[in-house]
């Protein structure tokens, strides 16, 4: 996020303010205060600042990439008999869960925030009576339609039984 990109600069500024306060820096003249902050911000050697910035942004990019891949490699299959959820993780492999449609007890959807509401995506939670009692499907496009389809399929399967 944009906030994560600004965190190092905010933390350096806060540390400088604390240092100026603790050393009795003058707050009476705002220009002197700004000059003190600029002097301490630019007192870090440029090479060290570059290495710290590269390290920080590589961590941020790695975090974003791992979360994107974990989301992107989640596969949801809905057939006329069962629901399968295949989860592929970065280092641990894959996990496959499935349940039949007649084991479904409850389906709920959650759309929280401005972006999910604007772009019509959300989370689906399926409560089942099987060994794995919950399926949590993250960032599903058009969650209302998806919930309705699963609910209708579940009702059709349970009505066909004598």
């Amino acid at each position: 996020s944009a906030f994560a990109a600004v965190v190092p600069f905010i933390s350096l500024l806060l540390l400088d303010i604390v240092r100026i306060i603790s050393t009795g820096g003058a707050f009476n003249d705002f220009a002197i205060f700004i000059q003190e902050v600029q002097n301490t911000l630019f007192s870090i050697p440029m090479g060290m600042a570059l290495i710290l910035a590269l390290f920080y942004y590589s961590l941020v990019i790695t975090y974003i990439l791992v979360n994107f891949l974990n989301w992107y490699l989640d596969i949801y299959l809905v057939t006329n008999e069962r629901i399968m959820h295949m989860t592929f993780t970065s280092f641990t492999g894959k996990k496959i869960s499935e349940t039949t449609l007649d084991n479904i007890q409850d389906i709920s959807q959650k759309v929280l925030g401005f972006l999910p509401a604007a772009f019509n995506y959300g989370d689906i939670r399926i409560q089942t009576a099987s060994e794995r009692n919950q399926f949590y499907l993250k960032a599903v496009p058009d969650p209302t339609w998806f919930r309705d389809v699963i609910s209708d399929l579940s009702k059709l399967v349970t009505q066909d039984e004598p």
Side-chain angles (χ1 to χ4, degrees):
S1 69
F3 180 72
V6 181
V7 167
F9 302 109
I10 293 173
S11 61
L12 280 175
L13 182 63
L14 289 176
L15 286 174
D16 289 333
I17 291 171
V18 168
R19 187 190 62 80
I20 291 169
I21 291 171
S22 64
T23 59
F27 276 103
N28 296 335
D29 191 1
F30 188 69
I32 294 172
F33 171 70
I34 294 297
Q35 186 63 39
E36 281 287 323
V37 170
Q38 287 176 348
N39 288 341
T40 54
L41 276 178
F42 296 118
S43 65
I44 299 174
M46 195 57 133
M48 181 62 114
L50 182 63
I51 289 172
L52 287 174
L54 287 175
F55 179 72
Y56 175 77
Y57 286 116
S58 66
L59 287 178
V60 169
I61 289 171
T62 302
Y63 175 77
I64 291 170
L65 184 64
V66 165
N67 282 331
F68 172 75
L69 288 176
N70 284 340
W71 168 80
Y72 187 74
L73 295 176
D74 276 1
I75 299 172
Y76 313 116
L77 293 175
V78 179
T79 67
N80 60 348
E81 295 178 7
R82 70 185 77 244
I83 295 176
M84 293 180 69
H85 180 202
M86 291 181 270
T87 304
F88 295 90
T89 55
S90 302
F91 300 108
T92 58
K94 65 181 176 180
K95 176 181 171 185
I96 300 174
S97 304
E98 67 178 77
T99 187
T100 56
L101 290 174
D102 56 348
N103 283 336
I104 293 176
Q105 294 177 340
D106 183 42
I107 304 168
S108 61
Q109 79 178 46
K110 180 170 51 172
V111 178
L112 293 176
F114 174 73
L115 288 178
F119 292 110
N120 195 20
Y121 69 91
D123 300 335
I124 302 279
R125 186 180 58 85
I126 302 171
Q127 188 80 25
T128 66
S130 63
E131 184 177 321
R132 181 177 177 202
N133 60 356
Q134 279 191 5
F135 284 81
Y136 190 69
L137 313 177
K138 297 179 285 187
V140 175
D142 200 1
T144 304
W145 176 83
F146 197 80
R147 184 202 64 217
D148 291 343
V149 165
I150 293 174
S151 179
D152 292 345
L153 284 172
S154 177
K155 287 176 186 173
L156 282 175
V157 167
T158 55
Q159 287 176 357
D160 288 343
E161 295 177 3

